[in-house]
Amino acid sequence: MIARSEEAFVRLGFSIGTLGPVASAPDEHLKLVAEAERLGYESVWASEGYGADPATTLAWLAAGTERVELGSGIIQISGRTAVATAMAAATIDRLSGGRFRLGLGTSGPQVTEGWHGRRYERPLAHLRDYVQVVRTALAGEPVRHTGPTLRLPLPDSRGKALSMAIGPVRRPLPIHLAAMGPKAIALAGEIADGWLPIHFPPEHVAESLGRLRSGAALAGRDPAEVAVSPMVMAMVDEDADYARDVVRPMLALYLGGMGSKEVNFYNRLAHRLGFAAAAARVQDAYLDGGMGEAMEELPDDLVDALALCGTPGRVRERLEAYREAGATTLVVGLNAPTLDDRLEQLGWLAELNS
């Protein structure tokens, strides 16, 4: 919610990533998720990249948990039709007893065109159409839609306006949008139940809330209805330099390799935050030499801005800063080297947030 919570802490979520580098085996992920649930984390999120499917992962986690909310953070809309996403969402929600949150995002041209074979055109218009179709399907209504990027059924075809045979437990099922640019943030305020910014420092969360409010006002909505759930890499250690080094590889990947030279949303974010020169060096180093070279170009102050890392005292201050900025939930991702390290980090973050 945009309005400041009366709670003395921000709720915590845990992003397990894509079942890739975060743990060596699925059972280790389940141990992490079970520990997060035991510690009182509000939600667990699974992402989509070039490997594991988040819907399948979350259905599996639903069987191994009882209370924690389960979110897709995010499902890329270029990878499946809107109705297929609605069916997956309804199924996971039923399997989990009403604990699913549907996180959606447009991704970028590198993934959309290179991985899914779809043109990256009018992404926000497509996202708006997509959400409308998902909501229609989840409501159990016949799916009819005429928009600038989606028409269902296809005109002059044998298509029929069908409705889903099952529905979610939770009605309406909450939809969260990943959004980084000003127009995308306003769209989240207009049509979504939640906003998922990634790598946003608390100061930028606070500055961006005006865009969210303007979108909500356009739709005649109360902006407090929109959950604000920043997603950040986290690492707590008494040695601040070590903490930075643990999160550096992921930040170097996002700023350097998550997108093309021309379109990298995370690199653009660093530019907006005042780190244009450093962000350009990181990207050039990554594209020319790879991860190691890019990590060397990441200055400490940029790492400190994009990640929740450092000494316990600093992390506690930043947790409070996120709450003061208007975050309702802070979704943390971990890159610590071992399972035991990650379990320890979950506990440390929960303690610092208490």
Side-chain angles (χ1 to χ4, degrees):
M1 297 179 184
I2 293 177
R4 174 177 168 172
S5 170
E6 294 301 319
E7 296 175 337
F9 52 89
V10 63
R11 295 190 291 271
L12 288 178
F14 170 45
S15 173
I16 70 167
T18 63
L19 287 182
V22 181
S24 59
D27 66 316
E28 293 190 353
H29 281 277
L30 192 55
K31 289 179 182 177
L32 287 164
V33 170
E35 179 66 1
E37 183 175 59
R38 186 189 72 81
L39 290 167
Y41 279 64
E42 177 214 36
S43 52
V44 170
W45 301 75
S47 61
E48 181 170 6
Y50 318 121
D53 169 58
T56 309
T57 301
L58 291 165
W60 172 66
L61 291 176
T65 55
E66 296 178 356
R67 301 176 305 278
V68 71
E69 296 270 313
L70 303 167
S72 56
I74 49 119
I75 284 176
Q76 300 163 354
I77 66 172
S78 59
R80 65 191 79 201
T81 69
V83 170
T85 293
M87 291 192 293
T91 303
I92 299 169
D93 198 56
R94 290 170 71 91
L95 291 172
S96 65
R99 292 186 282 137
F100 183 61
R101 303 176 181 183
L102 177 58
L104 299 173
T106 63
S107 191
Q110 185 181 48
V111 170
T112 301
E113 298 181 356
W115 190 239
H116 296 300
R118 297 175 180 266
R119 293 294 179 191
Y120 189 72
E121 297 171 342
R122 306 182 68 183
L124 295 187
H126 184 47
L127 184 57
R128 181 189 295 275
D129 280 344
Y130 197 97
V131 169
Q132 289 176 352
V133 171
V134 168
R135 282 218 165 100
T136 299
L138 288 174
E141 301 171 3
V143 177
R144 297 185 181 90
H145 181 82
T146 301
T149 71
L150 283 177
R151 296 187 71 182
L152 295 171
L154 286 174
D156 302 321
S157 75
R158 290 166 289 180
K160 181 180 179 180
L162 302 173
S163 56
M164 284 177 53
I166 67 164
V169 173
R170 183 159 32 179
R171 295 174 183 265
L173 188 143
I175 296 178
H176 297 238
L177 298 186
M180 300 182 69
K183 292 181 180 179
I185 295 170
L187 182 65
E190 182 184 351
I191 69 172
D193 303 292
W195 170 40
L196 295 169
I198 185 169
H199 304 317
F200 273 42
E203 298 81 8
H204 196 55
V205 172
E207 291 171 4
S208 301
L209 288 183
R211 299 284 184 179
L212 204 68
R213 291 191 185 100
S214 67
L218 186 64
R221 304 176 64 199
D222 179 356
E225 296 175 358
V226 186
V228 177
S229 305
M231 310 182 85
V232 296
M233 294 301 300
M235 181 66 195
V236 189
D237 199 87
E238 295 288 355
D239 184 339
D241 289 333
Y242 173 73
R244 292 188 188 100
D245 286 344
V246 169
V247 301
R248 263 195 172 88
M250 289 301 293
L251 294 181
L253 172 62
Y254 273 90
L255 270 65
M258 288 288 199
S260 64
K261 177 73 172 177
E262 296 76 20
V263 183
N264 180 317
F265 301 120
Y266 313 102
N267 200 281
R268 288 179 181 176
L269 171 64
H271 277 69
R272 288 196 295 271
L273 295 176
F275 296 97
R281 290 196 301 270
V282 171
Q283 187 177 56
D284 288 343
Y286 187 95
L287 296 177
D288 290 342
M291 179 76 75
E293 290 79 357
M295 289 170 56
E296 292 177 1
E297 293 294 343
L298 266 172
D300 289 351
D301 53 354
L302 180 52
V303 176
D304 290 342
L306 299 181
L308 179 69
C309 69
T311 64
R314 181 181 188 277
V315 170
R316 186 188 293 276
E317 290 175 358
R318 297 302 273 175
L319 285 166
E320 171 63 14
Y322 274 107
R323 187 187 73 83
E324 292 283 352
T328 49
T329 300
L330 188 68
V331 182
V332 298
L334 302 177
N335 205 41
T338 69
L339 174 63
D340 287 342
D341 290 335
R342 296 181 202 110
L343 291 168
E344 181 182 49
Q345 286 295 309
L346 286 173
W348 210 338
L349 288 164
E351 179 181 347
L352 293 172
N353 191 51
S354 62

